[in-house]
Amino acid sequence: MPNSSKYTRVLRFVTHYWLMFPALFGTLVVARIASTLVDVSIPLASGSVVDAVASGVREDPAPAMWALAVFVGLGALFALSRQVVSFLLNRLSAAAMVAIGRDAFAKVQRFSADWHANAFAGSTVRKITRGMTSYDTFTDTVAFGLLPAFIVVVGVCGVFWWRWPLLGFIVAVSIVVFLAVTIALSVLYVRPANVEAREWDSKMSGALADSITGNQAVKSFAAEAREDAMFQHVAGNWQWRAVRSWDRSVISGIVQSLMLIALQAAMLSIGVLLWSRGDASPGDVASLIATQFLINGYLRDIGQHVRTVQRTVNDMDDVLEFRDAHFQVADTPAAKPLEVTQGRIAFERVTFKYKGASEALYEDFSLVIPAGQRVGLVGHSGAGKSTFVKLIQRLYDVQEGRILIDGQDVAQVTQESLRRAVGLVPQEPILFHRTLADNIAYARPDAAKQEIEEAARLAHVDLFVRGLSKGYDTMVGERGVKLSGGERQRVAIARAILARTPILVLDEATSSLDSVSELYIREAIERLSAGRTTLVVAHRLSTIQRLDRILVFDGGKIVEDGAHADLMRKPGGVYRKLLETQLQAGVIVEAAE
Ligand code: ADP
């Protein structure tokens, strides 16, 4: 993307959040301008003190005292008003950062399952948090660096122009030259070196992290010395780049100082010249000196500010990526809530192809699952079982055909209502680092304690909770409470029991469970599925023999369809062979009834 449009995009983004709090922002701008103007007037006040002293008489110090009082008063006003700006900015920044984080989080949460599967969670988190802090740094830099510098330059030039046009002209031209040189140095000379040094800085942390997390492998191959050398190499690469980037900052600082000294010399020579001609009083010369210090203070860090703006604009641009992205799976404008009365599911001539896949997984695929039927999905890995249930939840959009739940197209109802109607017990349930009770109640946060415990009992979660000193208040992930695969599945089943959805999808854990866990889970599933349309993606065939119907998938097609007993009667049938293979391999121990 061209740089200029990136800057406009970021500027629009920042302005949007500034204007979200109009009263605060407006007061802040007015206060900042006022406080800087006060600062600009201080050198003039110092000039009046000098004039009052120079032209006054010792017997009557009142005019000098008055001038001094104004000078000190302005100083105090400036110091206070500057802090008022800080107070306002604290509030604006915190509020806007919350809004930025909230908006980005809300958007990212609603991105499709596919998007999340392809994005690194860590990097998404970093982009959001960095976007928030970059906004803060950017606003600070504008409020305390660029805006006041601009006002000072305009104010000083304006005052000079009015009093001594020649001086005003020379100062204005010098400042323009100073700014042009400073910005050019900053952008073209200092920043590229900074960027490179920062890249190697990240590489250094990356290398450290990689080595330290892989310490087990390092130890077992006695490779410590090799890793030391690797770090030395990366750090060496960083070292000279860091020195170069710091040196360039120093050099650019020297150039800036020389320019400011030249400006000082020019201003003061002209001041003395004006004085010698009788066009300036001693006080004017004094205020010129003071103005010189003022300009110096505001312009000294301009190069740094420009680089900060560049860096923060780049960092904020990452958050804009989320903001401007369209939802991959979006509700239609006319989407209505799904109303499940019975739970009948129908695939009508569905064609579906994964993005990037060479051919369609499902082609002209039709199937009806009557309300309340309990169906096992079976087949080799990659046959399309999980995709089948993902399509029912509309985690992906199909290219052709329709998927209907009680006659309503899943693509035409709101995603929220659809996902609320379909309960899911996934293969690898995700538990949050919250209490066990919170985890179970995730489907229904308003569930009463008794309901949570009842669900836990039905899912046999209570059996292992009894062994925990804090019971249901134990934080999952706290030391010692790392749940086993079977226990996590039981928590997920308890969640599904609480959710009471009319349609249920169970993706059986692929990792082998101990036989006790398996028995508990099988029992819990039986209870849970009673009276609901239930789909069980089965990897071990022992869990599904009692279901009403078994669908055998192969390459996106259903190759066998029937009850366990019917399928077993087919000599050479796919299901029968799968079952026999699992029996032989010891994956399951129980044969057909
Ligand atoms: P199963 O659940 O039967 O093991 P899946 O439904 O997960 O099978 O996968 C069916 C096919 O689709 C496989 O070939 C798999 O590689 C492919 N597939 C699954 N998920 C994706 C995805 N997100 N992007 C591209 N291809 C995918």
Side-chain angles (χ1 to χ4, degrees):
M1 161 178 331
N3 245 345
S4 61
S5 73
K6 177 158 85 183
Y7 275 82
T8 25
R9 218 160 67 124
V10 169
L11 211 56
R12 220 180 307 129
F13 167 78
V14 175
T15 323
H16 170 78
Y17 285 98
W18 281 342
L19 296 180
M20 201 177 257
F21 311 94
L24 199 52
F25 178 67
T27 321
L28 181 85
V29 172
V30 171
R32 180 74 266 203
I33 292 175
S35 105
T36 315
L37 288 178
V38 169
D39 207 14
V40 171
S41 70
I42 291 178
L44 301 178
S46 72
S48 335
V49 176
V50 173
D51 276 341
V53 170
S55 63
V57 283
R58 287 203 180 83
E59 291 69 32
D60 180 18
M65 294 307 281
W66 273 114
L68 193 63
V70 170
F71 173 70
V72 172
L74 285 174
L77 185 62
F78 172 67
L80 287 177
S81 60
R82 201 179 135 83
Q83 298 319 320
V84 168
V85 171
S86 295
F87 279 127
L88 293 169
L89 191 62
N90 291 348
R91 277 147 191 80
L92 177 72
S93 289
M97 282 166 79
V98 167
I100 291 173
R102 182 193 61 210
D103 292 351
F105 178 53
K107 185 91 191 239
V108 165
Q109 278 208 93
R110 287 162 181 78
F111 280 162
S112 70
D114 204 27
W115 186 92
H116 281 280
N118 290 314
F120 289 108
S123 108
T124 307
V125 171
R126 237 187 347 270
K127 282 179 184 174
I128 296 179
T129 50
R130 217 195 277 150
M132 292 162 67
T133 47
S134 295
Y135 160 85
D136 185 34
T137 316
F138 179 89
T139 309
D140 280 0
T141 309
V142 172
F144 286 106
L146 297 180
L147 178 67
F150 177 73
I151 296 169
V152 163
V153 168
V154 172
V156 166
C157 291
V159 169
F160 284 176
W161 211 286
W162 165 61
R163 298 276 307 267
W164 308 286
L166 174 69
L167 186 57
F169 176 73
I170 289 176
V171 170
V173 170
S174 315
I175 289 179
V176 168
V177 171
F178 172 85
L179 288 179
V181 173
T182 302
I183 293 173
L185 275 176
S186 178
V187 172
L188 305 174
Y189 180 65
V190 181
R191 189 179 135 81
N194 266 357
V195 168
E196 223 179 275
R198 251 211 314 275
E199 263 167 31
W200 278 90
D201 184 89
S202 322
K203 282 189 193 166
M204 200 159 61
S205 334
L208 268 181
D210 193 36
S211 238
I212 292 174
T213 35
N215 182 265
Q216 203 189 353
V218 173
K219 273 216 169 53
S220 67
F221 293 102
E224 285 86 351
R226 234 188 306 153
E227 295 297 310
D228 289 344
M230 182 277 307
F231 178 72
Q232 182 58 43
H233 170 73
V234 179
N237 266 310
W238 169 80
Q239 188 177 3
W240 69 263
R241 286 181 173 86
V243 170
R244 185 181 62 175
S245 106
W246 296 336
D247 280 355
R248 286 190 178 189
S249 281
V250 175
I251 292 170
S252 119
I254 294 174
V255 175
Q256 280 176 279
S257 298
L258 290 178
M259 287 191 295
L260 287 174
I261 289 172
L263 176 63
Q264 182 179 33
M267 268 171 72
L268 296 186
S269 320
I270 295 173
V272 172
L273 186 72
L274 288 168
W275 168 77
S276 68
R277 283 201 208 148
D279 288 338
S281 65
D284 290 334
V285 177
S287 74
L288 275 184
I289 296 176
T291 303
Q292 157 61 31
F293 283 119
L294 179 81
I295 295 180
N296 232 327
Y298 279 95
L299 293 191
R300 205 179 30 221
D301 297 329
I302 277 289
Q304 176 70 36
H305 296 328
V306 170
R307 285 198 296 280
T308 308
V309 164
Q310 271 192 303
R311 181 168 48 80
T312 49
V313 163
N314 282 328
D315 284 349
M316 275 189 275
D317 200 46
D318 280 344
V319 157
L320 284 176
E321 199 185 288
F322 301 145
R323 189 182 157 84
D324 295 347
H326 294 292
F327 288 116
Q328 303 80 5
V329 176
D331 282 355
T332 58
K336 283 203 275 293
L338 170 72
E339 278 173 39
V340 184
T341 44
Q342 293 163 324
R344 176 182 187 271
I345 301 172
F347 276 56
E348 283 184 355
R349 313 199 62 173
V350 166
T351 295
F352 173 70
K353 179 166 107 60
Y354 274 113
K355 210 165 55 186
S358 56
E359 50 192 88
L361 178 60
Y362 294 111
E363 237 180 308
D364 203 14
F365 178 97
S366 296
L367 179 80
V368 171
I369 297 173
Q373 193 170 58
R374 302 193 298 173
V375 183
L377 313 181
V378 174
H380 293 289
S381 162
K385 309 178 291 286
S386 307
T387 309
F388 180 81
V389 296
K390 284 180 183 156
L391 291 182
I392 296 176
Q393 295 171 283
R394 199 186 166 209
L395 295 182
Y396 299 93
D397 274 325
V398 299
Q399 281 84 27
E400 273 171 53
R402 301 191 301 169
I403 298 168
L404 305 172
I405 295 179
D406 285 344
Q408 301 150 78
D409 187 343
V410 294
Q412 304 296 331
V413 298
T414 60
Q415 294 181 68
E416 193 190 342
S417 66
L418 173 64
R419 312 251 161 83
R420 275 189 202 283
V422 181
L424 174 71
V425 180
Q427 233 177 56
E428 298 285 341
I430 306 280
L431 302 190
F432 296 100
H433 184 56
R434 302 171 194 174
T435 65
L436 257 175
D438 287 344
N439 267 295
I440 295 172
Y442 199 72
R444 255 184 52 220
D446 58 340
K449 193 158 184 280
Q450 292 92 322
E451 286 180 287
I452 296 174
E453 291 182 8
E454 173 67 7
R457 199 180 56 72
L458 290 172
H460 296 296
V461 170
D462 59 331
L463 296 180
F464 67 85
V465 171
R466 269 182 226 146
L468 304 171
S469 61
K470 291 193 209 154
Y472 289 100
D473 292 328
T474 312
M475 295 290 285
V476 172
E478 231 170 54
R479 255 190 308 169
V481 196
K482 292 266 164 70
L483 304 186
S484 73
E487 289 164 346
R488 293 161 86 89
Q489 276 243 317
R490 281 187 263 163
V491 172
I493 291 172
R495 269 183 188 166
I497 291 175
L498 262 190
R500 293 192 298 229
T501 54
I503 296 169
L504 189 65
V505 173
L506 296 141
D507 202 345
E508 204 184 58
T510 33
S511 54
S512 59
L513 300 174
D514 56 279
S515 48
V516 182
S517 268
E518 187 165 335
L519 182 73
Y520 287 149
I521 288 175
R522 202 188 315 172
E523 232 180 76
I525 291 178
E526 293 259 321
R527 277 193 205 139
L528 182 56
S529 60
R532 303 173 196 207
T533 311
T534 305
L535 305 171
V536 183
V537 179
H539 304 282
R540 281 178 318 282
L541 303 182
S542 55
T543 38
I544 56 160
Q545 292 168 15
R546 268 174 285 205
L547 298 180
D548 305 323
R549 177 183 182 189
I550 288 165
L551 298 173
V552 184
F553 282 73
D554 192 12
K557 292 189 178 60
I558 291 175
V559 291
E560 282 178 16
D561 178 355
H564 168 76
D566 302 332
L567 299 186
M568 286 308 283
R569 274 197 288 275
K570 280 194 191 168
V574 184
Y575 177 72
R576 190 180 159 135
K577 264 205 247 156
L578 269 171
L579 196 75
E580 282 166 1
T581 322
Q582 291 203 349
L583 272 171
Q584 273 167 10
V587 177
I588 53 174
V589 285
E590 202 176 315
E593 293 114 84

